[in-house]
Amino acid sequence: MARWQTLEKEAPEIAEKGRALIYQFGTGLGYLATLRPDGGLRLHPFCPVVTAGGIYARVIDSPKRRDLLARRSFAFHAFAPEDRDDEFMLTGTANLVEDPQVIETVAEAFHAAGATSSGDELTFEFDIDRALLALYKPRAEEGPHWPPEYHKWRAAS
Amino acid sequence: MARSFVSASWDDLRGAQPELAAAGERLLSPNGSGVAFLATTRKDGGPRLHPVMPILADGRLHVFVVTMSYKHRDLLRDGRYALHAALPEGGGEEFFVTGPALATADPGRRAGVTAASGGRLGHNEFEALFELRLDRVLHARWAKWGTAEAWPTFSKWNAPG
């Protein structure tokens, strides 16, 4: 498992284009898959925050938060751009952040990006096991559009 | 081997909760042109997440999955999935279903799904067809979306059994 800053150092194109996909609409956006108590899957949109060398989420009390606290395993996928099907996916483990300074830094970055807050969130950092970036031709261009150009990275074990 | 689940077809959802089914059809655009996100279960039990294009045909929800992909292996091994519609422009609504995905080899079904996609999908042997059976369905409408006072109203349905 590795922090976002390790991805930036070891696979800068994946990190740079991944970050651009996360923030393409201003506020960070993506989908977060978590594991329910029965091992099934849960999937919801959320607002990731990339700051201070990490990728974070601020999560209100919800089934998704209980999944992250109890089972921790996650998959993240950024929204696709308007004109092509580019993909950015991360998998790994979520860790509850307890350092008040980090929590404050994440909250500041969260609000600076335009996200709103109810004030009772917990902050999680996502430790990354694998990253996948898939770059497609624009839909307006002549096909074939599949397969895309894949870029993969895996954290050193 | 896919696990055994209590599950329902999309037509079962229509019969039981027509407004919920209509919301799903509006938000998923299940004609092979709308993008949704499909979570599957990796070999180590963790989640994996990729975009797909759902297709509604003959009262059943389907996806084509590339046979060379990890998600194809996931679905054959475990079968459990979660599907979330892309957020509509302006946000404010979510549509989410879970259940077992069943591999479907019937040529007639496959032809019907390809036709329902407007001929866009399902022409290649490497596109494997799965029916997304339903065990849970959730539609959320958010009041004051994008504000600190945002609050959801949920409509839910669980397959009987």
Side-chain angles (χ1 to χ4, degrees):
Chain A
M1 296 289 173
R3 300 192 69 216
W4 177 270
Q5 64 186 15
T6 305
L7 175 68
E8 284 183 313
K9 183 179 173 188
E10 296 186 2
E13 184 186 16
I14 294 178
E16 181 190 336
K17 290 186 172 161
R19 185 180 185 132
L21 286 170
I22 290 171
Y23 285 107
Q24 64 183 305
F25 302 110
T27 304
L29 285 171
Y31 288 90
L32 184 68
T34 57
L35 295 178
R36 300 191 316 239
D38 65 2
L41 297 152
R42 197 187 314 278
L43 179 53
H44 287 290
F46 81 118
C47 297
V49 182
V50 180
T51 190
I55 178 166
Y56 299 90
R58 303 176 78 239
V59 186
I60 60 168
D61 188 18
S62 60
K64 176 170 58 188
R65 183 160 101 181
R66 294 190 280 279
D67 290 347
L68 292 175
L69 287 168
R71 284 162 295 281
R72 300 175 56 208
S73 190
F74 79 93
F76 162 79
H77 203 294
F79 285 25
E82 298 282 337
D83 66 334
R84 65 190 75 199
D85 297 321
D86 288 357
E87 298 181 45
F88 178 58
M89 185 183 75
L90 302 173
T91 60
T93 302
N95 294 304
L96 181 66
V97 177
E98 298 184 281
D99 181 332
Q101 195 169 349
V102 176
I103 292 169
E104 182 60 30
T105 299
V106 173
E108 285 174 7
F110 184 76
H111 294 126
T116 55
S117 165
S118 63
D120 62 352
E121 294 90 349
L122 292 180
T123 300
F124 293 87
E125 179 171 2
F126 296 114
D127 277 351
I128 304 165
D129 175 32
R130 299 173 197 216
L132 170 77
L133 176 72
L135 301 174
Y136 290 77
K137 280 185 184 177
R139 288 190 210 99
E141 281 186 18
E142 191 75 16
H145 293 83
W146 193 89
E149 181 184 312
Y150 287 110
H151 300 264
K152 297 179 183 179
W153 176 83
R154 186 162 190 179
S157 51
Chain B
M1 178 69 74
R3 298 182 185 189
S4 173
F5 292 82
V6 171
S7 68
S9 70
W10 192 269
D11 255 0
D12 294 329
L13 172 64
R14 281 174 171 157
Q17 294 281 339
E19 289 183 13
L20 190 54
E25 289 168 35
R26 176 169 50 81
L27 293 167
L28 288 170
S29 301
N31 60 7
S33 68
V35 174
F37 286 82
L38 182 76
T40 58
T41 305
R42 299 191 317 249
K43 197 172 180 179
D44 66 3
R48 191 191 314 278
L49 190 48
H50 285 288
V52 292
M53 303 176 104
I55 305 157
L56 191 56
D58 193 26
R60 300 167 188 269
L61 189 63
H62 303 85
V63 287
F64 283 109
V65 175
V66 172
T67 55
M68 301 82 95
S69 66
Y70 287 109
K71 66 177 172 286
H72 180 250
R73 285 175 239 174
D74 291 346
L75 291 176
L76 290 179
R77 185 183 57 254
D78 186 297
R80 288 177 291 185
Y81 80 89
L83 181 81
H84 201 295
L87 295 187
E89 199 166 327
E93 284 186 273
E94 293 184 53
F95 188 83
F96 165 69
V97 298
T98 65
L102 302 181
T104 304
D106 177 65
R109 172 92 69 90
R110 185 180 179 97
V113 177
T114 292
S117 77
R120 283 183 287 265
L121 300 171
H123 294 293
N124 303 296
E125 280 189 21
F126 61 74
E127 294 171 278
L129 181 63
F130 287 84
E131 180 187 350
L132 300 181
R133 303 282 297 175
L134 313 176
D135 64 11
R136 301 179 191 200
V137 181
L138 182 145
H139 177 222
R141 283 181 184 274
W142 289 81
K144 299 184 179 180
W145 175 264
T147 74
E149 292 80 39
W151 193 255
T153 303
F154 295 112
S155 302
K156 299 179 183 178
W157 182 74
N158 290 344

